[in-house]
Amino acid sequence: MDHLRVAVIGAGFMGKAHSLAWRSVAAVFGLTPRPALEVLCDVDAERTAAKAAEWGFARTTTDWRRVVEDPAIDAVSVTTPNHMHREIAVAALAAGKHVWCEKPMATALADAEAMARAAAGTPGLVAVLGYNFACNPALLHARRLIAEGAIGRIVDVRGQIDEDYLADPEQPWSWRLQKSEAGFGTIGDLTVHLLSMIHLLAGPVAELCASVETVHPTRPLADGSGRRAVDTDDIGHALLRFSSGAAGVIGSSRIAHGRKNVIRLEIHGDRGMIAFDQERFNELELYLAEGPRPTRGFRRILTGADHPPYGQFCPAPGHQLGFNDLKTIEAARFIDAIAGREEPVFGFAAGLTIERTIHAMARSAARRAWVRVEGEAG
Amino acid sequence: MDHLRVAVIGAGFMGKAHSLAWRSVAAVFGLTPRPALEVLCDVDAERTAAKAAEWGFARTTTDWRRVVEDPAIDAVSVTTPNHMHREIAVAALAAGKHVWCEKPMATALADAEAMARAAAGTPGLVAVLGYNFACNPALLHARRLIAEGAIGRIVDVRGQIDEDYLADPEQPWSWRLQKSEAGFGTIGDLTVHLLSMIHLLAGPVAELCASVETVHPTRPLADGSGRRAVDTDDIGHALLRFSSGAAGVIGSSRIAHGRKNVIRLEIHGDRGMIAFDQERFNELELYLAEGPRPTRGFRRILTGADHPPYGQFCPAPGHQLGFNDLKTIEAARFIDAIAGREEPVFGFAAGLTIERTIHAMARSAARRAWVRVEGEAG
Amino acid sequence: MDHLRVAVIGAGFMGKAHSLAWRSVAAVFGLTPRPALEVLCDVDAERTAAKAAEWGFARTTTDWRRVVEDPAIDAVSVTTPNHMHREIAVAALAAGKHVWCEKPMATALADAEAMARAAAGTPGLVAVLGYNFACNPALLHARRLIAEGAIGRIVDVRGQIDEDYLADPEQPWSWRLQKSEAGFGTIGDLTVHLLSMIHLLAGPVAELCASVETVHPTRPLADGSGRRAVDTDDIGHALLRFSSGAAGVIGSSRIAHGRKNVIRLEIHGDRGMIAFDQERFNELELYLAEGPRPTRGFRRILTGADHPPYGQFCPAPGHQLGFNDLKTIEAARFIDAIAGREEPVFGFAAGLTIERTIHAMARSAARRAWVRVEGEAG
Amino acid sequence: MDHLRVAVIGAGFMGKAHSLAWRSVAAVFGLTPRPALEVLCDVDAERTAAKAAEWGFARTTTDWRRVVEDPAIDAVSVTTPNHMHREIAVAALAAGKHVWCEKPMATALADAEAMARAAAGTPGLVAVLGYNFACNPALLHARRLIAEGAIGRIVDVRGQIDEDYLADPEQPWSWRLQKSEAGFGTIGDLTVHLLSMIHLLAGPVAELCASVETVHPTRPLADGSGRRAVDTDDIGHALLRFSSGAAGVIGSSRIAHGRKNVIRLEIHGDRGMIAFDQERFNELELYLAEGPRPTRGFRRILTGADHPPYGQFCPAPGHQLGFNDLKTIEAARFIDAIAGREEPVFGFAAGLTIERTIHAMARSAARRAWVRVEGEAG
């Protein structure tokens, strides 16, 4: 296969991010098969045509089923609203296409489970989730350090993900605030990112106890005609217990004034600590309990060519990658997986684990009790 | 009363801190009554005499009862091991002395309750707890900002307190690791500080769900003769619900490699946010959702004479106070309370609230359930 | 003109950066004319062919003159070694092509002057220099703030640019260390960046006094056969006087251990200050001497859609741009200038000013005296 | 000698700082001879009496000559306006008293030279200057690291000292702005601190080229009756050449909005770097070019008992010292020198070097030329 013929379904924020990644990945990584941007699909024909021209797609459609049925497509990016993920992803897999689906996986746990089953049932196809932050060279380096034992056994984990896009209580109502369309609020939109990164570094969460709530119960309607109820969560916090036995605690919010992309992680080992913040994602902090005591301290490591695959983008350290570069790394990993060169970072099975974790958070919050992440025993 | 005749019981770390504060407070603040350093008390006569000479006490004793009975003493600093706090404090109050007792208040909740009752029963006397971090001008400024509504209604609180004094699993066993002598571990030593600061800014916690555990179950004996069990906690995390309705989540550890004095606080309001870290305690971060959007950001405010009582120490901003200066502010507040000029920052009643909160943490962790901080209903 | 037919001369670090920018710019910005990647040119035919395939060029050549003479090329990226810039750029302009030339402009001042003359003589063509850091939304925002008077009159400027790629004294000798091939050392490679950013914010430097020196006078040959003399500079510092009357001082080094991409700027106004560091280039610090004194502090502003053209890359603030994104913005500005929509950020005339400034640094250092940046009077 | 009988001349900001240090030093350090606070001297009898009562002095006077002549005084703190330093210090030394004189040493170089001669002529007496920032455990640790070769040979030095106490152009005129009373402006008030710290770490400056200027040439009179000329400097920048051969560059300003106590230092060695900022003076940054490259980074070292004499104040790391604690360390060093236990940190001879350096800055700025720090040859 010389080329990987790709389609992108959804031409919004993430549709553009996928398209940019598809455009750049072969040039950045020098890998094969090279993607060919075949089809862009979204509901508004005119706008989709315009975006296809801008982003470099050969053709367009307004019907995602046409994409899925198209024999000239090898791989599909799914960047639609969340409640459509299941249907599209399952159909695409059934039609023999590799799938790169945005997070969160689905709005209902049954949907995510169906997607994972579909992926398991098509072992020759690659089905991955768009956990772009997990592909950051700084985090991949952290994972290597942990695997090598640099900080010893993990004993505790701290995490925080905060944004402020709904911090203003008078921010108008939108579909994101309605459970039937959006699924969860903060925990589906933000906490899943945090959990994906934690999963990468510290493994799966076995049980948890969560507090999940809507702080601003109504929002004004954009047309000024009154207020409408909000039934998705603004805040989600949890105590964690990892399968490894480690403890943990996390907080998350979409109403945290001033926070634009805070994702703070601390991995506490019995020989050192790793700390990280997504707002400065080209940096990693590392403390090692070794060497003379008076010179010990947290090191601020700036990523560079010593932290693959940073060097694919730029040979000079400290020059920094951007958000879209992380998406390009994700695309490279997806292609590598398709070519059989490497395991995917977040396949549907791993993605289901993240979904189960946030559903466990919701269940725990409703019951006000500790619950197990897997199954019904909790 | 021209002078306040003081005694310090306990000549260790905190005994020195109190003594230095007593020496400096009148000179720094120009206040009255001026303390007169009358008696230093500790168990080793020779060492106590040496310390008394260094620190400037007029006389010494090895029996704390002599201090309490001494009619020439007006106020007593209690800096003994925690399990002695109750007996000394109650006796001192009964003998008509003002009491400044180090934290944690006591090792058993019943002891803390007895102390609070004793204080309530002697309304003419001032009984305060040594929550020195709460007297920091940066935090007092934060409290003013919150009271003035700068960040609006508090909706969420994040907290973290971490040190690494027991992070090395081979750090030898000591009495601090034994419940019968130390009471709690991390939650009694560290979390109480965090909770005192949170209490100051966000009010009391109504209910919580906690995870409290001992990560390193044994420690080597210092003499190399084997290992001994640890029965105090290394880690304490909790989900919080404040009386105000706000949510919150905290983490705490004494085994957090590289953390020397991390106490991070975030107070999320519906109009802004305040953030703080004790490792840089002369700074306060403030985000206000006002003014042109492109110039909004967290401000790093350096304390100075604009943030009382900083100016008592130094007229120049950014020159910074130290740990012992915070203790001196505490001494000034204690004297102000004795002179009837101001309410104490942390009286025994407020201190009991903190104790109840950590006992609720322990109870919640044992039950693996949410509990109310007050009473048995939880 | 539907398409802008582009060639890239030089297939190294910067050749890749230009190629990636050419690939992405139309998709990111949705602008026209869209670039068509026609020719990649470098000396090694085989490697160039491989890179052309990776980066998406239609054809290749090993002779830059073929590029310049090619009627099917509209614009040329010049990313060759510095001493070739003049010849290629002048020939390309003479042949009617727009030119985007990497920095530094040339190795000799006469070359830079010839390039500026060539550009001035072809007013219908756009000739710009690759000062990518100057296109950062954070810096563009700083420029707007200054223009609007947010920090008042500029009174002082501080600057620092430091890397460590030659910090190890035993780093082997290379052509970069030889004046005849590289021109200057640190001041040609690094200080020009700093000066371009300062120029953008504070205008031209009128006179200066500099210290420029080679700290490690010899380096080992890579083949172990001995050591060879270094005749390019490791360090360049200068006192500045701006045409506006403002003072300034800068430092620069390629032997600064631990510095990966430090470019620190402080613009001191009489009503506020702007501070910036390229190692965290998605942030801007702003201090305004307004509002209540106790709440004043430096604000850390994270760039987002409020800071154009960030929003072209990502609608979400704090998600961050990377080094290659800055290059894409440069490409967009170049195309905008070609289309007559906007003035270029760094045309050859402005570029010559930067060259004159570093040549003035060298002259000043040699004379150990203040010199004027323009002409020989200094 | 059991006690060191001390007098403090000047009861302003620094008079209080000295008095607090005298009160605390023996208790903090447990050293002898213990200071006895005998006399406080200032011009206003009533205010001085009040301050003496607050600060704990036995008696007062309004005539500094009485202090100097007093046989019951062993040591004198000189905290008067700068132009009086010479007369008092020389007289005190002549009368056999140890002298601790605030910085800057004097307003005229001849005065500083006379003071150094007086100190040299009384070898049994200790005469030191109040460079308190130089006694910071973090800086003393940096000095040890450098002496041990941790960062190798020093090749470059960067420094910056900035405050904003005169940043507002409409800040009223005061005596500090008049050369005849204040001597220099920024360079006498601030740059001397920076130079003292640089001196401690990198040794003496051999030659320099400076730019020193008054940015705001007039200031409004406080009574609203008009404006008055300013003839002291607002800004002082310099290129440095150290006796060791190292290069350097510094900037300083008292009109730097938002800067409260910035004193940034970078010591560039050929094996590593040390960086420091006085606004966070309990921290030291250290980069060592050793160990695996992917884990290299600047370490943020928090001072603690591993960094003497921090442990005298507090056994717990990261709890932080304050400005007045630095003054207490200075007092301890002064007493140690009197007792013959240790060399003073900044004796009058070293202090004269700093004075010569700022006078060289003024001379260089006037001549617009490089000058040697010593003598007239420059």
Side-chain angles (χ1 to χ4, degrees):
Chain A
M1 176 167 46
D2 245 25
H3 282 83
L4 183 76
R5 296 164 303 175
V6 305
V8 172
I9 305 175
F13 170 10
M14 291 314 296
K16 182 169 182 178
H18 278 241
S19 301
L20 292 175
W22 284 129
R23 281 187 75 80
S24 297
V25 62
V28 170
F29 281 85
L31 47 62
T32 54
R34 298 174 63 81
L37 282 69
E38 297 294 338
V39 180
L40 181 66
C41 168
D42 207 332
V43 289
D44 178 326
E46 195 173 345
R47 189 180 167 280
T48 306
K51 291 298 161 193
E54 278 179 33
W55 303 346
F57 285 88
R59 55 196 197 279
T60 66
T61 175
T62 58
D63 179 359
W64 66 262
R65 291 178 195 280
R66 302 286 281 275
V67 174
V68 163
E69 292 157 6
D70 188 337
I73 294 297
D74 303 311
V76 178
S77 284
V78 182
T79 74
T80 61
N82 307 336
H83 68 274
M84 301 172 65
H85 288 179
R86 174 196 177 159
E87 194 173 8
I88 301 175
V90 169
L93 287 168
K97 280 132 186 53
H98 305 288
V99 175
W100 178 15
C101 179
E102 265 311 303
K103 44 62 56 180
M105 202 167 175
T107 49
L109 187 54
D111 292 337
E113 287 167 342
M115 292 164 74
R117 274 195 308 273
T122 52
L125 297 173
V126 175
V128 300
L129 288 161
Y131 284 116
N132 43 296
F133 298 144
C135 292
N136 175 357
L139 273 202
L140 296 174
H141 181 53
R143 186 166 67 162
R144 272 191 303 276
L145 287 170
I146 291 169
E148 293 164 11
I151 62 166
R153 177 170 68 93
I154 296 174
V155 294
D156 196 9
V157 173
R158 311 290 176 83
Q160 185 173 1
I161 181 161
D162 293 311
E163 297 197 11
D164 68 357
Y165 58 85
L166 285 166
D168 181 351
E170 298 306 303
Q171 184 83 5
W173 192 91
S174 82
W175 68 268
R176 283 179 168 281
L177 302 168
Q178 190 164 3
K179 196 180 202 115
S180 58
E181 292 189 40
F184 296 117
T186 287
I187 66 172
D189 191 33
L190 302 182
T191 319
V192 291
H193 270 303
L194 176 64
L195 289 169
S196 73
M197 296 157 85
I198 286 176
H199 185 93
L200 189 79
L201 301 179
V205 173
E207 51 180 2
L208 57 80
C209 185
S211 167
V212 179
E213 71 180 291
T214 306
V215 170
H216 301 304
T218 67
R219 296 268 180 181
L221 289 163
D223 63 6
S225 66
R227 301 183 74 86
R228 185 162 170 181
V230 171
D231 65 356
T232 59
D233 54 283
D234 290 322
I235 288 182
H237 305 335
L239 306 174
L240 307 179
R241 174 70 50 195
F242 290 82
S243 298
S244 69
V249 61
I250 60 171
S252 42
S253 172
R254 65 186 181 188
I255 59 166
H257 271 299
R259 300 311 190 193
K260 304 307 177 188
N261 196 21
V262 157
I263 312 179
R264 293 194 188 145
L265 280 177
E266 290 181 5
I267 310 295
H268 297 218
D270 65 3
R271 291 176 47 200
M273 191 191 295
I274 284 173
F276 173 81
D277 183 359
Q278 186 68 24
E279 282 192 349
R280 289 172 171 167
F281 75 73
N282 289 278
E283 306 180 16
L284 190 70
E285 286 192 279
L286 173 66
Y287 182 91
L288 299 177
E290 62 182 38
R293 294 180 53 89
T295 55
R296 289 187 193 168
F298 273 91
R299 299 162 194 209
R300 175 183 168 239
I301 301 171
L302 289 171
T303 48
D306 291 326
H307 311 92
Y310 176 105
Q312 297 294 337
F313 294 87
C314 175
H319 280 52
Q320 299 162 57
L321 305 189
F323 174 76
N324 289 325
D325 296 328
L326 299 185
K327 216 70 200 163
T328 302
I329 298 175
E330 236 191 304
R333 291 280 183 148
F334 183 41
I335 295 173
D336 283 341
I338 290 170
R341 288 187 293 262
E342 203 169 352
E343 287 297 300
V345 177
F346 262 91
F348 276 19
L352 178 58
T353 302
I354 306 302
E355 293 301 310
R356 283 188 171 136
T357 311
I358 60 166
H359 281 271
M361 283 181 67
R363 206 164 66 239
S364 166
R367 292 189 198 168
R368 290 174 53 86
W370 282 85
V371 300
R372 290 194 58 77
V373 172
E374 305 283 326
E376 301 79 22
Chain B
M1 174 165 52
D2 245 26
H3 282 83
L4 183 76
R5 296 164 302 174
V6 305
V8 172
I9 304 176
F13 170 9
M14 291 314 297
K16 184 170 182 178
H18 278 239
S19 300
L20 291 174
W22 285 129
R23 280 188 75 80
S24 297
V25 62
V28 170
F29 282 85
L31 48 62
T32 55
R34 299 174 63 82
L37 282 69
E38 296 295 337
V39 179
L40 180 65
C41 167
D42 207 333
V43 289
D44 178 326
E46 195 173 345
R47 188 179 167 283
T48 306
K51 290 299 164 193
E54 276 179 35
W55 302 347
F57 285 88
R59 56 196 196 278
T60 66
T61 175
T62 58
D63 179 359
W64 65 263
R65 292 177 194 280
R66 303 285 282 274
V67 174
V68 163
E69 292 158 5
D70 188 337
I73 294 297
D74 303 311
V76 178
S77 284
V78 182
T79 74
T80 61
N82 307 337
H83 68 274
M84 301 172 66
H85 288 178
R86 174 197 178 157
E87 194 173 8
I88 300 175
V90 170
L93 287 167
K97 280 135 185 51
H98 305 289
V99 175
W100 179 14
C101 179
E102 266 312 303
K103 44 62 55 180
M105 201 168 175
T107 50
L109 187 54
D111 291 337
E113 289 167 340
M115 291 165 76
R117 274 195 306 273
T122 53
L125 296 174
V126 176
V128 299
L129 287 161
Y131 284 115
N132 40 297
F133 299 144
C135 293
N136 175 357
L139 273 203
L140 297 174
H141 181 53
R143 186 166 66 160
R144 269 190 305 273
L145 287 170
I146 291 168
E148 294 164 11
I151 61 167
R153 178 171 68 94
I154 296 175
V155 295
D156 196 9
V157 173
R158 311 290 176 82
Q160 185 174 359
I161 181 162
D162 293 312
E163 297 197 9
D164 69 357
Y165 59 85
L166 285 165
D168 180 352
E170 298 306 303
Q171 184 84 3
W173 193 91
S174 81
W175 68 269
R176 283 177 168 281
L177 301 168
Q178 191 165 3
K179 195 179 203 119
S180 58
E181 291 189 42
F184 296 116
T186 288
I187 64 172
D189 192 31
L190 301 182
T191 319
V192 290
H193 270 304
L194 176 64
L195 289 169
S196 73
M197 295 156 85
I198 286 176
H199 185 93
L200 189 77
L201 301 179
V205 173
E207 51 180 3
L208 57 80
C209 184
S211 167
V212 178
E213 70 179 292
T214 306
V215 170
H216 301 304
T218 66
R219 297 268 181 180
L221 289 164
D223 64 6
S225 66
R227 301 183 74 86
R228 184 162 171 181
V230 171
D231 63 359
T232 59
D233 55 283
D234 289 324
I235 288 182
H237 304 336
L239 306 173
L240 307 178
R241 173 71 48 195
F242 289 83
S243 298
S244 69
V249 60
I250 60 171
S252 43
S253 171
R254 65 186 181 189
I255 60 165
H257 272 298
R259 300 309 190 194
K260 304 307 177 189
N261 195 21
V262 157
I263 311 179
R264 293 193 189 147
L265 279 179
E266 289 180 6
I267 310 296
H268 298 220
D270 65 3
R271 291 176 47 200
M273 192 190 294
I274 284 172
F276 173 82
D277 183 358
Q278 185 69 25
E279 283 192 349
R280 289 172 172 167
F281 75 73
N282 289 277
E283 305 179 17
L284 190 70
E285 284 192 279
L286 172 67
Y287 182 90
L288 299 177
E290 61 182 39
R293 294 179 54 88
T295 55
R296 290 187 192 168
F298 273 92
R299 300 163 192 205
R300 175 183 169 241
I301 301 169
L302 289 171
T303 48
D306 292 325
H307 310 93
Y310 177 105
Q312 296 294 337
F313 294 86
C314 175
H319 280 53
Q320 298 160 58
L321 305 189
F323 173 78
N324 289 325
D325 296 328
L326 299 185
K327 217 70 200 163
T328 301
I329 298 174
E330 236 191 306
R333 290 279 184 148
F334 183 41
I335 294 173
D336 283 341
I338 290 170
R341 288 186 294 260
E342 204 170 354
E343 286 298 297
V345 177
F346 262 91
F348 275 19
L352 178 58
T353 301
I354 306 302
E355 294 300 309
R356 282 187 172 139
T357 311
I358 60 166
H359 281 271
M361 283 181 68
R363 206 163 68 238
S364 166
R367 294 187 197 169
R368 290 173 53 85
W370 282 84
V371 300
R372 292 195 57 79
V373 172
E374 304 283 325
E376 299 80 23
Chain C
M1 176 166 48
D2 246 26
H3 281 84
L4 183 76
R5 297 164 301 174
V6 305
V8 172
I9 305 176
F13 170 10
M14 292 314 296
K16 183 170 182 179
H18 278 241
S19 301
L20 292 174
W22 284 129
R23 281 187 76 80
S24 297
V25 63
V28 171
F29 282 86
L31 47 62
T32 55
R34 298 174 64 82
L37 282 69
E38 296 294 338
V39 181
L40 180 66
C41 168
D42 207 332
V43 289
D44 178 326
E46 194 172 347
R47 189 180 168 282
T48 305
K51 290 298 161 194
E54 277 179 33
W55 302 346
F57 285 89
R59 56 195 197 278
T60 65
T61 176
T62 59
D63 180 359
W64 65 263
R65 290 179 195 280
R66 301 285 281 275
V67 174
V68 163
E69 292 158 5
D70 188 339
I73 294 297
D74 303 311
V76 178
S77 283
V78 182
T79 74
T80 61
N82 308 337
H83 68 275
M84 301 172 66
H85 287 179
R86 174 197 178 157
E87 196 174 7
I88 300 175
V90 169
L93 287 167
K97 279 134 185 51
H98 304 288
V99 175
W100 178 15
C101 179
E102 266 310 303
K103 46 62 53 180
M105 202 167 174
T107 50
L109 186 55
D111 291 339
E113 288 168 340
M115 292 165 75
R117 273 196 307 273
T122 53
L125 297 173
V126 176
V128 300
L129 288 161
Y131 284 116
N132 43 296
F133 298 144
C135 292
N136 175 357
L139 273 201
L140 296 174
H141 181 53
R143 186 166 66 162
R144 270 191 305 275
L145 287 170
I146 291 169
E148 293 164 11
I151 61 166
R153 178 171 67 93
I154 297 175
V155 296
D156 197 8
V157 173
R158 309 292 176 81
Q160 186 173 359
I161 183 162
D162 292 312
E163 297 197 10
D164 69 358
Y165 59 84
L166 285 166
D168 180 352
E170 298 306 303
Q171 182 84 2
W173 192 91
S174 82
W175 69 268
R176 281 177 169 282
L177 302 168
Q178 192 166 1
K179 194 180 204 114
S180 57
E181 292 189 40
F184 296 116
T186 288
I187 64 172
D189 192 32
L190 301 182
T191 319
V192 291
H193 270 304
L194 176 63
L195 289 169
S196 73
M197 296 157 84
I198 286 177
H199 185 93
L200 189 78
L201 300 179
V205 173
E207 51 180 3
L208 58 79
C209 185
S211 167
V212 178
E213 70 179 291
T214 307
V215 169
H216 300 305
T218 66
R219 296 270 182 178
L221 289 164
D223 63 6
S225 67
R227 301 182 74 85
R228 185 160 169 182
V230 171
D231 64 358
T232 59
D233 54 284
D234 289 323
I235 287 181
H237 304 335
L239 305 174
L240 307 179
R241 173 71 50 194
F242 289 81
S243 297
S244 69
V249 61
I250 60 171
S252 42
S253 172
R254 65 187 182 189
I255 60 166
H257 272 299
R259 298 311 189 193
K260 304 307 176 188
N261 196 21
V262 157
I263 312 181
R264 292 192 189 149
L265 279 178
E266 289 180 5
I267 311 295
H268 298 219
D270 64 4
R271 290 176 48 200
M273 191 190 295
I274 284 172
F276 173 81
D277 184 358
Q278 185 69 26
E279 282 192 349
R280 288 171 172 169
F281 75 73
N282 290 278
E283 305 179 16
L284 189 71
E285 285 191 280
L286 172 67
Y287 183 91
L288 299 177
E290 62 183 38
R293 295 179 53 88
T295 55
R296 290 187 193 168
F298 273 92
R299 299 162 194 208
R300 174 183 169 242
I301 300 168
L302 289 171
T303 49
D306 291 325
H307 310 93
Y310 176 104
Q312 297 293 337
F313 294 86
C314 176
H319 280 53
Q320 298 161 58
L321 305 189
F323 173 77
N324 289 324
D325 295 327
L326 299 186
K327 215 69 199 164
T328 301
I329 298 175
E330 235 191 305
R333 291 280 183 147
F334 183 41
I335 294 173
D336 283 341
I338 289 170
R341 289 187 293 261
E342 204 170 352
E343 287 297 299
V345 176
F346 262 91
F348 275 19
L352 178 59
T353 301
I354 306 302
E355 292 301 309
R356 281 187 173 139
T357 311
I358 60 165
H359 281 272
M361 283 181 67
R363 206 162 70 240
S364 166
R367 293 189 197 168
R368 291 173 53 84
W370 281 84
V371 299
R372 291 194 58 76
V373 172
E374 304 284 324
E376 300 80 22
Chain D
M1 175 166 50
D2 244 25
H3 281 82
L4 183 75
R5 297 164 302 176
V6 305
V8 172
I9 304 177
F13 171 9
M14 292 312 297
K16 184 170 181 178
H18 278 242
S19 300
L20 291 175
W22 284 127
R23 279 188 77 79
S24 296
V25 62
V28 171
F29 281 87
L31 48 62
T32 55
R34 298 174 64 82
L37 281 69
E38 297 294 337
V39 180
L40 180 67
C41 168
D42 207 332
V43 289
D44 178 326
E46 196 173 344
R47 188 180 167 281
T48 305
K51 290 299 162 193
E54 278 180 33
W55 302 347
F57 285 90
R59 56 197 196 277
T60 66
T61 176
T62 58
D63 180 359
W64 65 261
R65 291 180 194 279
R66 302 285 282 273
V67 175
V68 164
E69 292 158 5
D70 187 337
I73 294 298
D74 302 311
V76 178
S77 284
V78 182
T79 74
T80 61
N82 307 336
H83 68 274
M84 300 172 65
H85 288 177
R86 173 195 179 159
E87 194 173 7
I88 300 175
V90 170
L93 288 167
K97 277 131 187 54
H98 304 289
V99 174
W100 179 14
C101 180
E102 265 311 303
K103 46 63 56 179
M105 202 168 174
T107 50
L109 187 55
D111 291 339
E113 288 168 339
M115 290 164 76
R117 274 196 308 273
T122 53
L125 296 173
V126 175
V128 299
L129 288 161
Y131 284 116
N132 41 297
F133 298 143
C135 292
N136 174 358
L139 273 201
L140 297 173
H141 181 53
R143 187 165 68 162
R144 272 190 304 274
L145 287 170
I146 291 168
E148 292 163 13
I151 61 166
R153 177 171 68 93
I154 296 174
V155 295
D156 196 9
V157 172
R158 309 292 175 82
Q160 185 173 0
I161 182 162
D162 292 312
E163 297 196 9
D164 68 357
Y165 58 85
L166 286 165
D168 180 351
E170 299 306 302
Q171 183 83 4
W173 193 91
S174 82
W175 68 267
R176 281 178 169 282
L177 301 168
Q178 191 166 3
K179 195 180 203 115
S180 57
E181 290 189 42
F184 296 117
T186 288
I187 64 172
D189 192 32
L190 301 183
T191 320
V192 291
H193 270 304
L194 176 64
L195 290 169
S196 73
M197 295 157 85
I198 287 177
H199 186 93
L200 189 79
L201 299 179
V205 173
E207 51 180 4
L208 58 81
C209 184
S211 168
V212 178
E213 70 180 290
T214 307
V215 170
H216 300 305
T218 66
R219 296 269 180 180
L221 289 165
D223 63 6
S225 65
R227 299 183 74 86
R228 184 161 171 182
V230 171
D231 64 357
T232 59
D233 55 283
D234 289 323
I235 287 182
H237 303 337
L239 305 174
L240 307 179
R241 174 69 51 193
F242 289 82
S243 297
S244 70
V249 60
I250 60 172
S252 43
S253 172
R254 66 186 181 189
I255 60 167
H257 272 299
R259 300 311 190 193
K260 303 308 177 189
N261 196 20
V262 158
I263 312 180
R264 293 193 188 146
L265 278 177
E266 290 180 5
I267 310 294
H268 297 219
D270 65 4
R271 291 176 47 200
M273 191 191 294
I274 284 172
F276 172 82
D277 183 358
Q278 185 70 24
E279 282 191 349
R280 289 172 171 168
F281 75 73
N282 290 277
E283 304 179 17
L284 190 71
E285 285 191 280
L286 173 67
Y287 182 91
L288 298 178
E290 62 182 38
R293 294 180 52 89
T295 55
R296 290 186 192 168
F298 273 91
R299 300 163 193 206
R300 174 181 169 242
I301 301 169
L302 289 171
T303 48
D306 291 326
H307 310 93
Y310 176 105
Q312 297 293 335
F313 294 85
C314 175
H319 280 53
Q320 299 161 58
L321 305 189
F323 173 78
N324 289 325
D325 295 328
L326 299 185
K327 217 69 201 166
T328 301
I329 298 175
E330 235 192 304
R333 290 282 184 145
F334 183 40
I335 295 173
D336 282 341
I338 290 169
R341 288 187 293 260
E342 204 170 350
E343 286 298 299
V345 177
F346 263 92
F348 275 20
L352 178 57
T353 301
I354 305 303
E355 293 300 310
R356 282 186 172 140
T357 310
I358 59 165
H359 281 272
M361 283 181 68
R363 205 164 68 239
S364 167
R367 292 188 197 169
R368 291 173 52 86
W370 281 85
V371 300
R372 291 194 58 77
V373 172
E374 304 283 324
E376 299 81 22

